[in-house]
Amino acid sequence: MQTPKHKIAILGASGYTGAELVRLIATHPHLQIAALTGERKAGQPMAQVFPFLRHLDLPDLCRIEEVDFAAIDLAFCALPHATSQAVIRDLPRDLKIVDLSADFRLRDPAAYEKWYGKPHAAPDLQTEAVYGLTEFYREDIRSARLVAGTGCNAATGQYALNPLIAAGVIDLDRIIMDLKCGVSGAGRSLKENLLHAELSEGTHAYAAGGTHRHLGEFDQEFTRLAGRPVHVQFTPHLIPMNRGILASIWVDGDAAEIHAVLQDAYCAESFIHVLPFGTLPSTHDVRGSNYVHIGVVGDRIAGRALVVAALDNLCKGSSGQAVQNANLMLGIEETTGLLGVPVFP
Amino acid sequence: MQTPKHKIAILGASGYTGAELVRLIATHPHLQIAALTGERKAGQPMAQVFPFLRHLDLPDLCRIEEVDFAAIDLAFCALPHATSQAVIRDLPRDLKIVDLSADFRLRDPAAYEKWYGKPHAAPDLQTEAVYGLTEFYREDIRSARLVAGTGCNAATGQYALNPLIAAGVIDLDRIIMDLKCGVSGAGRSLKENLLHAELSEGTHAYAAGGTHRHLGEFDQEFTRLAGRPVHVQFTPHLIPMNRGILASIWVDGDAAEIHAVLQDAYCAESFIHVLPFGTLPSTHDVRGSNYVHIGVVGDRIAGRALVVAALDNLCKGSSGQAVQNANLMLGIEETTGLLGVPVFP
Amino acid sequence: MQTPKHKIAILGASGYTGAELVRLIATHPHLQIAALTGERKAGQPMAQVFPFLRHLDLPDLCRIEEVDFAAIDLAFCALPHATSQAVIRDLPRDLKIVDLSADFRLRDPAAYEKWYGKPHAAPDLQTEAVYGLTEFYREDIRSARLVAGTGCNAATGQYALNPLIAAGVIDLDRIIMDLKCGVSGAGRSLKENLLHAELSEGTHAYAAGGTHRHLGEFDQEFTRLAGRPVHVQFTPHLIPMNRGILASIWVDGDAAEIHAVLQDAYCAESFIHVLPFGTLPSTHDVRGSNYVHIGVVGDRIAGRALVVAALDNLCKGSSGQAVQNANLMLGIEETTGLLGVPVFP
Amino acid sequence: MQTPKHKIAILGASGYTGAELVRLIATHPHLQIAALTGERKAGQPMAQVFPFLRHLDLPDLCRIEEVDFAAIDLAFCALPHATSQAVIRDLPRDLKIVDLSADFRLRDPAAYEKWYGKPHAAPDLQTEAVYGLTEFYREDIRSARLVAGTGCNAATGQYALNPLIAAGVIDLDRIIMDLKCGVSGAGRSLKENLLHAELSEGTHAYAAGGTHRHLGEFDQEFTRLAGRPVHVQFTPHLIPMNRGILASIWVDGDAAEIHAVLQDAYCAESFIHVLPFGTLPSTHDVRGSNYVHIGVVGDRIAGRALVVAALDNLCKGSSGQAVQNANLMLGIEETTGLLGVPVFP
């Protein structure tokens, strides 16, 4: 506890991922929050923006230009997509950064432009950025200056599929990802479809038919692992729950072999747990935590299987992942501050 | 309004489908509730068992043996599976019956035994029973004495798929049904996983990998329509909502053709609405009603499509269907008492 | 059914109370929707604004100035507060109107200005308007041209208290109303605190300490009934439910006497049900309906009682009340179109 | 971290408070779980009973008689009421115990018998037990062997009222407590009214009119503080949320003075936060944590005020309180293991 703490800035602290970063860092023994920014709410104390943080001794929200980055060891950028690249471009080039936006996830400028609809504003940084799926880029992250946090859906799908694609045990042309997503993934934005009255007590698909932007990440990462183009089918569904993603992934392959590959891939991981064969996970069991549960069950049709992965989109899918990466970048033990037990019920 | 009303008995009126029957019949101009049974709660007024029915003038719950079936025109059986066949076997053979249990859905005794784990107790009635998916068995139902209500999941899937299988526009060996199901489908039974604290704010799959009993219905009906064996993949997920089923069905086929076939199939139907191409339904929009919404969207992978159907499991998936069938059996206009608008929000 | 239907316009049909009016009128035998307005969404079909109304044959949303009021028998105004008075002022003076806003609830211009912060724009209409609490203003409503729908909280509280105040059986200086309110009461407005993520799984008070505008109605009506000033204490709480208000009202008085007075007051009413002594209501049991349930229980402290009333804020608290009043104004049997059974679960 | 850890047993680990104890202790630096009991689920691994604990290295559930209490430093008893006293009576008399049941909360055997309906089975222990409201019994708890955890409702009410009663700033004969309670307070028991379908999307009162057992605690503690009999009015309401209690307390007194007394009373406390005058708390802001938020607002009627307190019933209202007390009993810094930030959203 005597070790001097690393000074942290959180840019965009008035959204859910920003608040989740504060939640995690507040009890982290080696990190200390030195600056919090929020453009529209600059000047406000965090207790007003997020009363659940009331008991913490936190700096007030300020504007980005008010932050003295010379005194900051690492900045988390929890800014909106597109804003992030413009801001990061202007930050000191030796500042360690974990970006939680979509801006640096895609390495290929053409892919970025395809999925996000306009050219990238900082293509050199795009190349420099390391993709932040910790368990698969651990060594690169350790030495990275800029880490790009993954999409929360993208993380969920990759935890289930990456080892299977790498091991060649599933048909790469028959991967269907049916996701069930909690509403906090849409952020604290004011949209009619995010109102309680519109969302509770029902469910529907969105971004259907291969239009969701996280497909850019799937294409990039799965193709890299397979060594040939891989294009999955992926449609998310909005579920009346605040946190959690459940990815039900329908694949062609031998269920037992799939289970064995996953167990093997994750046996040394602290946060990824492969359930006994035939047992499937629930988002209830990872809520508020950095854990991932993965289950496999065979279908009555031989050669087909269902792989289901569950994580908390705000934590392991976003801010928990970010802290895990920051730990690596700062030379701190990777799991530090992230071993909080899920909150149930 | 001067027409004498048909006398109705509801056997098993203390469960959710029984209560939903009462709700629908209470405002039905040509039906009148003459008897309500509930073994464990016999003697209790309905206002005690279901206070939301308090304002209605209803008979108290009684035991089945107390019902004078000679005075009954039609009985709804909302009894537990297995119980239903034993009870119906002993009812007068000229009594019109709409059964809401699973007992008479499968025509083949072997199929019944396979999915339900024991021989059928009334195989002759099993043969007599007409499968209750109204829009596809309308004429048979009109003249039937015993109609077997479909499974709620089975109904949802069939509304989306029956026309496609009949028209031969999808690959019969590549049908994946990922269902999102409301909790009332599990009934009013006391199970740990149905408690609010266990179920709200999260989701998980159940009966995964081809083990759910409604697969027996899918196999029977799809095989009949296709003229060759069809075996789909089907896994339901429990969603924190009380009413509603959303079936996301992943198929191989041309999305535009699929949409055209569905529009064609249902253009004359009162309750089945095919949404404009590319629009997908929400369970919110059918809650509390007898309507079905179906949408189709193409995938970015050519030749693949997503068909999504939504209905209210308690109403169109169960008790609304039952009343619709009873209307046919009693010579009443089919939509009578079923045109209530969904309740939103 | 052969009777020609009354032509109805709904001004402000893109909000929840507007949609609820459509829901109720769609199955009403004597009313027909002739015009629907929505300024920001003019030109859109209702199926787009409210997909749950998709199956109905409805006019598209238009602007108010596009409505031919000469062809309208009665207009429902479900417009925002303050907008309503400006609009109604300019409508034909012989048009029957049921207003669902707060604009004509307070008869006294000074009271209006006090609670709503600015002078009334149509003080003559304010005087003309009849307060729309049907069971207490029935005869006035029957002959009224302009009826002011009550606040939903105001209705709930008055159903519990009006007979008690009139009968003089409770201490008028010791009335505490602790309300639990569903979120649809706040409308379809985009506010951070109405997001699912902010509202589900928790509760808090709002407009506390005697600041809620519905107090203006309580003061007006209770004072009128008592013949001397009555000022209650009233704080509402936001509950993670879409529909429903539960008013827990703490009073000084004899519980048995209170119960008897309420039973007496409502014994002839179709929609108001007083539960057996000691039984308290649940919002679950009135959801989606025009019914009110009221219960009374004595406290362990002699001379104190708890009166609890439950209703659906969108239906009996707003649009159902409006239809009930319109029925009276048009000479239709009062309960027509309003006997739909609550939706449970 | 080198300090040897205290060995902990949790009796009754298959319920929600037991699981919450595991959650808190799992990351506690000075406590180690040595035994977990659960009679009906003995032999099962915790990962099966509570999959959210899957990643922890925990002993399997066993029967109480299988625990070697000689190796235990402190036992938490999270057993059902009545069972607890029978079990604790037979435990070693030098074992430190924190009981979470209702069995030792009431010091007076007559009061116990009145509220719990039968004589106490261990009256000597009843006398020995220290009431576990940490902030008010801190020194007694430090030296206690047996601490009786408070009722969760009782804790919430006392945090708001104890300082006010002690300071004499409110009318002791006019205290009305309207509580809004999350469902986990009812435990993991299989009751119809706890099903998701019965509980979500609605609210109702229960144990109304002065019948709730936590009144026994209020009477005991308030009377002690006041030095004369105090009897409050108290009715809880079940809210569709899993965790959280919001106590809305209507009192006669000067709001500013009340606020000042509360601020004064809690200014040195780590977990009790008094909000700025006029700001009221939300259960959302304490969920999953050991924090209590208290707010005060004056009423429009002079001399009346509303005091609102919020806490998490499973944590500060039960298991968090228990760990806080165990810390004191074991000479550990009081807040250790309890500083986790609330989980929002």
Side-chain angles (χ1 to χ4, degrees), chain B residues 14 16 40-41 49-50 183-184 187-201 239-242 287, chain D residues 14 16 40-41 49-50 183-184 187-201 239-242 287:
Chain B
S14 63
Y16 292 146
R40 280 176 309 142
K41 301 191 175 174
V49 179
F50 286 115
V183 57
S184 64
R188 209 180 198 184
S189 45
L190 296 179
K191 294 181 189 155
E192 212 167 67
N193 69 317
L194 300 180
L195 294 175
H196 187 279
E198 311 270 328
L199 204 144
S200 73
E201 282 293 303
I239 303 292
M241 61 184 184
N242 288 336
R287 185 171 46 204
Chain D
S14 63
Y16 292 147
R40 280 177 308 142
K41 300 191 175 174
V49 179
F50 286 115
V183 57
S184 65
R188 207 180 199 182
S189 46
L190 296 179
K191 295 182 189 153
E192 213 166 67
N193 70 318
L194 300 180
L195 295 175
H196 186 279
E198 310 270 328
L199 204 144
S200 73
E201 283 294 303
I239 303 292
M241 61 184 183
N242 288 334
R287 184 171 47 203

Side-chain angles (χ1 to χ4, degrees), chain A residues 16 19-20 22-24 50-53 55 184 242-244 286-290 312-315 340-345, chain B residues 201, chain C residues 197-198 200-202, chain D residues 20 23 243 282-291 312 315 339-345:
Chain A
Y16 292 146
E20 180 79 351
V22 175
R23 180 175 83 88
L24 294 169
F50 285 115
F52 80 99
L53 301 172
H55 62 284
S184 64
N242 288 336
R243 288 170 176 252
V286 294
R287 185 170 48 202
S289 85
N290 207 49
D312 180 319
N313 57 301
L314 281 185
C315 195
V341 179
V343 176
F344 177 90
Chain B
E201 282 293 303
Chain C
E198 310 271 328
S200 72
E201 283 293 303
Chain D
E20 180 79 350
R23 181 175 83 87
R243 286 171 177 253
S282 170
T283 61
H284 291 100
D285 295 325
V286 294
R287 184 171 47 203
S289 84
N290 207 50
Y291 294 95
D312 180 321
C315 195
L339 295 170
V341 180
V343 176
F344 177 89

Side-chain angles (χ1 to χ4, degrees), chain B residues 27 32-33 42-43 100 143 177 189 201 228 238 252 280 344:
Chain B
T27 55
Q32 180 183 341
I33 294 171
L100 285 81
S143 57
M177 308 177 66
S189 45
E201 282 293 303
R228 63 96 146 166
L238 203 52
D252 281 27
L280 296 182
F344 177 90

Side-chain angles (χ1 to χ4, degrees), chain B residues 131 133-137 150 154-170 172 175 177 217-218 220-226 249 261-262 265-266 294 307:
Chain B
Y131 190 67
L133 198 71
T134 324
E135 289 76 4
F136 295 91
Y137 284 89
T150 72
T156 318
Q158 287 180 74
Y159 282 125
L161 286 171
N162 276 5
L164 308 181
I165 292 174
V169 295
I170 57 172
L172 299 177
I175 299 173
M177 308 177 66
E217 292 174 66
F218 286 133
Q220 169 179 289
E221 297 300 311
F222 293 160
T223 293
R224 196 183 64 92
L225 283 167
I249 307 180
V261 167
L262 288 168
Y266 295 123
I294 305 177
V307 184

Side-chain angles (χ1 to χ4, degrees), chain B residues 59-79:
Chain B
D60 288 353
L61 285 171
C62 68
R63 299 188 175 281
I64 291 173
E65 54 266 34
E66 299 175 64
V67 178
D68 172 15
F69 285 101
I72 300 297
D73 296 310
L74 185 144
F76 293 99
C77 287
L79 298 165

Side-chain angles (χ1 to χ4, degrees), chain A residues 16 188 196 198 200 242, chain C residues 16 188 194 196 198 200 242:
Chain A
Y16 292 146
R188 208 180 199 183
H196 186 279
E198 310 271 328
S200 73
N242 288 336
Chain C
Y16 292 146
R188 208 180 199 183
L194 299 179
H196 186 279
E198 310 271 328
S200 72
N242 288 334

Side-chain angles (χ1 to χ4, degrees), chain A:
Chain A
M1 297 290 174
Q2 299 296 67
T3 353
K5 292 187 171 188
H6 299 277
K7 299 280 186 302
I8 298 298
I10 300 174
L11 312 187
S14 63
Y16 292 146
T17 54
E20 180 79 351
L21 284 167
V22 175
R23 180 175 83 88
L24 294 169
I25 295 174
T27 55
H28 192 297
H30 305 312
L31 304 183
Q32 180 184 340
I33 294 172
L36 297 170
T37 82
E39 299 307 299
R40 281 177 308 144
K41 300 192 175 173
Q44 294 185 22
M46 279 299 269
Q48 186 173 328
V49 179
F50 285 115
F52 80 99
L53 301 172
R54 177 181 297 282
H55 62 284
L56 297 172
D57 185 25
L58 295 170
D60 287 353
L61 285 171
C62 67
R63 298 187 175 283
I64 292 172
E65 54 268 33
E66 299 175 64
V67 178
D68 173 15
F69 284 102
I72 299 298
D73 296 310
L74 184 145
F76 292 99
C77 287
L79 298 165
H81 305 320
T83 304
S84 204
Q85 55 192 272
V87 166
I88 291 178
R89 192 183 46 191
D90 297 340
L91 292 180
R93 286 295 165 122
D94 58 347
L95 178 68
K96 287 182 200 294
I97 297 171
V98 178
D99 185 41
L100 285 80
S101 84
D103 282 7
F104 297 99
R105 293 170 186 167
L106 301 184
R107 277 179 289 270
D108 176 6
Y112 179 85
E113 190 166 346
K114 174 186 164 197
W115 287 103
Y116 292 91
K118 56 181 174 185
H120 202 284
D124 58 323
L125 293 176
Q126 202 183 6
T127 319
E128 180 192 353
V130 172
Y131 190 67
L133 199 71
T134 323
E135 288 76 4
F136 294 91
Y137 285 89
R138 187 171 273 130
E139 293 317 312
D140 293 339
I141 291 166
R142 222 183 278 278
S143 56
R145 185 188 75 84
L146 171 59
V147 168
T150 73
C152 52
N153 298 313
T156 319
Q158 289 180 72
Y159 282 125
L161 286 171
N162 276 5
L164 308 181
I165 291 174
V169 295
I170 57 172
D171 182 342
L172 299 177
D173 298 319
R174 286 283 169 191
I175 299 174
I176 289 175
M177 307 176 66
D178 189 301
L179 261 66
K180 291 85 183 165
C181 304
V183 59
S184 64
R188 208 180 199 183
S189 45
L190 296 179
K191 294 183 189 153
E192 211 166 68
N193 70 317
L194 299 180
L195 295 175
H196 186 279
E198 310 271 328
L199 205 144
S200 73
E201 282 294 302
T203 184
H204 60 82
Y206 66 99
T211 61
H212 195 288
R213 288 168 165 181
H214 290 181
L215 277 166
E217 293 174 64
F218 286 133
D219 289 357
Q220 169 180 289
E221 298 300 310
F222 293 160
T223 295
R224 196 182 65 90
L225 282 167
R228 64 95 148 168
V230 178
H231 300 286
V232 300
Q233 290 174 267
F234 160 48
T235 290
H237 299 73
L238 203 51
I239 303 292
M241 62 182 182
N242 288 336
R243 288 170 176 252
I245 296 176
L246 190 84
S248 306
I249 307 180
W250 302 82
V251 294
D252 280 27
D254 180 75
E257 188 178 20
I258 285 168
H259 187 256
V261 166
L262 287 168
Q263 272 199 315
D264 221 53
Y266 294 123
C267 60
E269 290 295 342
S270 299
F271 295 117
I272 322 290
H273 289 265
V274 178
L275 313 191
F277 186 70
T279 301
L280 295 182
S282 170
T283 61
H284 291 99
D285 296 324
V286 294
R287 185 170 48 202
S289 85
N290 207 49
Y291 294 95
V292 181
H293 287 186
I294 306 177
V296 181
V297 64
D299 197 84
R300 61 171 182 164
I301 301 177
R304 308 236 183 125
L306 180 63
V307 185
V308 183
L311 55 69
D312 180 319
N313 57 301
L314 281 185
C315 195
K316 183 59 172 170
S318 193
S319 302
Q321 180 198 76
V323 170
Q324 195 176 347
N325 290 335
N327 283 343
L328 288 171
M329 295 162 78
L330 294 167
I332 301 168
E333 205 283 312
E334 185 180 332
T335 63
T336 308
L338 295 169
L339 295 170
V341 179
V343 176
F344 177 90

